[in-house]
Amino acid sequence: MTEMNEPIAFIDLAAQQRAIRGRLDAAIGRVLDHGKYIMGPEVAELERQLADYTAVKHVVSCSNGTDALALPLMAWEIGTGDAVLCPSFTFAATAEIVPWVGASPVFVDVDERTYNIDPDHLQRTIEHLRDNSDLTPRAIIAVDLFGQPADYERIEAIAAKHDLLLLEDAAQGFGGRLNNRAAGSFGDAATTSFFPAKPIGGYGDGGAIFTDDDDLAERLRSLRVHGKGSDKYDNIRIGRNARLDTLQAAILLEKLAIFDDELQARQAVAGRYAAGLNGKVAVPDVMAGALSSWAQYTIRVADRDRFAAALRNEGVPTAVYYGKPLHLQTAYRDYPLGPGGLPVTERIAGEVISLPMHPYLDEATQARIIDAVLAAL
Ligand SMILES: *Cc1c(COP(=O)(O)O)cnc(C)c1O
């Protein structure tokens, strides 16, 4: 519990560490004892447990959530002249890896209730590209923004209809579910990030790729170690160095052990926000059949700067994800947009603001946040 004017944490990683510090120290100690810092036994164990957790056949851990997105594009040999459709209302990594392989991102608008890629606009963008562009649509990257799975029932059907590959960016979505399938199990492959502030984070960079495709998994395992064949001195393709450290895997195993309890605590926090704020401000809308991992609790307000300042005065931190969508960023402004542009993205980017959200947010502190939000509105 926090005192009246004590600052509140936006994401309280220290509280989580206090809960499992002994187990973390022991896990780190075991790695220091065996000394297998690269691809040690904890890496394989983490991959096995993540495969279990998501009910996916193969998990390939890697260096970070950005490389996790890039490796499948490399494995699928997506390149020059190809288009990869993705939202603009997301973190830069989602689109950044597309030019890495020489292809072009094509930005699609989002649904204003879920903030995830709009299947109708996706469909129209594919048709528009087929008729009006030299680019060949090859893949879709859908993002589970703020923790909620995208509308995969419709997106998987669109991908199948147009013979496109589908990559799920579950960097924020790990732990979420849709119709009893786990985030990480949608599309031809899915990815996540273990950046410290994500729903499941390590103490450094890390990521993972999930797939049921045996051949893809084998290529990913090769690509993450310099395109190795029988070993890293046998190079059968151009790869990268994109491995997950053993130390991070050891830490992540301890975080995974408490992840379901944390996920439940996040649901309780989201429930209390909804009870306190619903009807007073635009609270997140979770689709029927969906469970959010609540990477963020994002509301929408008209006068955002004034609202954020009022909360700051009460010791309540907020954050804006994403105030400037990718298609308006300097680096991305020359890439194509779906037909009619991205009006929803542009409108909500000016209104979204995220409140403190983490599993250790106690009721009294949260009541203080809710009071401050209501007063600031
Ligand atoms: C964080 C994030 C990534 C990238 O993950 P890193 O581990 O930071 O490279 C990709 N996509 C989304 C949606 C993210 O939030």
Side-chain angles (χ1 to χ4, degrees), residues 64-66 69 90-91 93-94 143 169 171-172 193 195 198 206 322:
N64 56 64
T66 308
L69 290 164
T90 179
F91 183 59
T94 306
V143 179
D169 180 350
Q172 300 177 19
S193 162
F195 183 84
K198 307 283 176 172
Y322 294 93

Side-chain angles (χ1 to χ4, degrees), residues 17-199:
Q17 189 183 99
R18 280 194 297 276
I20 56 168
R21 180 60 188 256
R23 299 182 59 89
L24 289 167
D25 284 340
I28 291 166
R30 285 192 295 276
V31 176
L32 299 189
D33 287 342
H34 69 54
K36 297 189 180 86
Y37 306 122
I38 301 292
M39 302 304 267
E42 286 82 356
V43 174
E45 178 60 19
L46 178 68
E47 291 179 343
R48 199 189 59 71
Q49 290 194 20
L50 289 170
D52 255 17
Y53 192 87
T54 51
V56 168
K57 196 165 170 196
H58 304 282
V59 173
V60 180
S61 63
C62 65
S63 36
N64 56 64
T66 308
D67 289 339
L69 290 164
L71 292 168
L73 298 194
M74 292 173 71
W76 289 327
E77 297 180 339
I78 288 173
T80 309
D82 292 338
V84 176
L85 293 88
C86 67
S88 166
F89 191 59
T90 179
F91 183 59
T94 306
E96 180 179 29
I97 44 84
V98 179
W100 281 11
V101 298
S104 173
V106 176
F107 292 114
V108 177
D109 213 355
V110 292
D111 179 302
E112 88 172 296
R113 290 168 310 110
T114 63
Y115 308 138
N116 285 328
I117 198 165
D118 173 357
D120 292 322
H121 195 235
L122 175 65
Q123 169 78 34
R124 281 187 282 127
T125 303
I126 296 165
E127 285 159 6
H128 180 83
L129 283 172
R130 289 256 149 95
D131 299 340
N132 301 285
S133 166
D134 295 333
L135 293 168
T136 307
R138 287 284 311 281
I140 301 161
I141 305 177
V143 179
D144 302 343
L145 204 74
F146 305 146
Q148 171 161 216
D151 187 354
Y152 290 106
E153 207 161 302
R154 294 196 55 204
I155 298 166
E156 286 184 330
I158 291 169
K161 178 174 167 204
H162 295 278
D163 200 19
L164 300 178
L165 293 155
L166 174 59
L167 185 57
E168 174 193 4
D169 180 350
Q172 300 177 19
F174 186 82
R177 302 186 75 82
L178 181 62
N179 301 332
N180 276 324
R181 283 171 67 190
S185 73
F186 297 98
D188 297 280
T191 67
T192 199
S193 162
F194 302 127
F195 183 84
K198 307 283 176 172

Side-chain angles (χ1 to χ4, degrees), residues 181-254:
R181 283 171 67 190
S185 73
F186 297 98
D188 297 280
T191 67
T192 199
S193 162
F194 302 127
F195 183 84
K198 307 283 176 172
I200 182 162
Y203 288 146
D205 281 309
I209 308 154
F210 305 77
T211 186
D212 286 330
D213 179 340
D214 299 341
D215 179 56
L216 175 64
E218 191 186 310
R219 275 182 285 164
L220 293 170
R221 290 184 192 283
S222 164
L223 285 166
R224 79 171 163 185
V225 188
H226 307 289
K228 76 181 171 83
S230 51
D231 63 54
K232 72 175 170 183
Y233 304 105
D234 173 32
N235 310 110
I236 59 174
R237 52 175 69 82
I238 304 293
R240 317 172 69 100
N241 174 4
R243 296 170 299 234
L244 179 71
D245 291 346
T246 307
L247 276 169
Q248 293 305 333
I251 289 159
L252 286 161
L253 281 165
E254 298 308 324

